[in-house]
Amino acid sequence: MAKRIVILGAGESGAGAAVLAKKQGFDTFVSDMSAIKDHYKDMLNKYGIPWEEGKHTEDLILNADEVIVATGAKARKLPVKGVAEYAMDATEYLLGEKTVGENVIIIGGGLTGCEIAYDLYLHGTKPVIVEAKHDLIVSDKVPLPNS
């Protein structure tokens, strides 16, 4: 009998984890307290992964062999007057929900910020990364030195 995995959260990470688990032969179920975006529903349906939205059914979670929590994170909003009109979070850019101009300031030099800067550069924009730490992408004590 296949191991039962329940994934809490049906955003990019949750849906992606569900597809991976399903491909590995696990009995997979996805539960999200919010409405699931249509493109994630389509992906889950494509792979035959059952899902629920707007609730978490406790029995399904408690009877799982493993539970993956992929409930996401909220982007911080900058407390700078006038920025809200121009600002967007990474997800809005990555999903194509908003477009950018030629000159872009990226707040945060972690993995996501650097990946977006690279993508913008490849598409002809001029990104500038603003990072509070000394180095970009500090992960596992291996930084990408600022230069």
Side-chain angles (χ1 to χ4, degrees), residues 77-88 98:
K77 301 296 180 190
L78 293 175
V80 178
K81 189 175 182 173
V83 158
E85 173 182 354
Y86 301 101
M88 69 178 78
K98 289 188 176 180

Side-chain angles (χ1 to χ4, degrees), residues 128-139:
V128 173
I129 300 172
V130 177
E131 171 58 50
K133 296 178 184 157
H134 180 68
D135 297 313
L136 301 177
I137 313 179
V138 177
S139 176

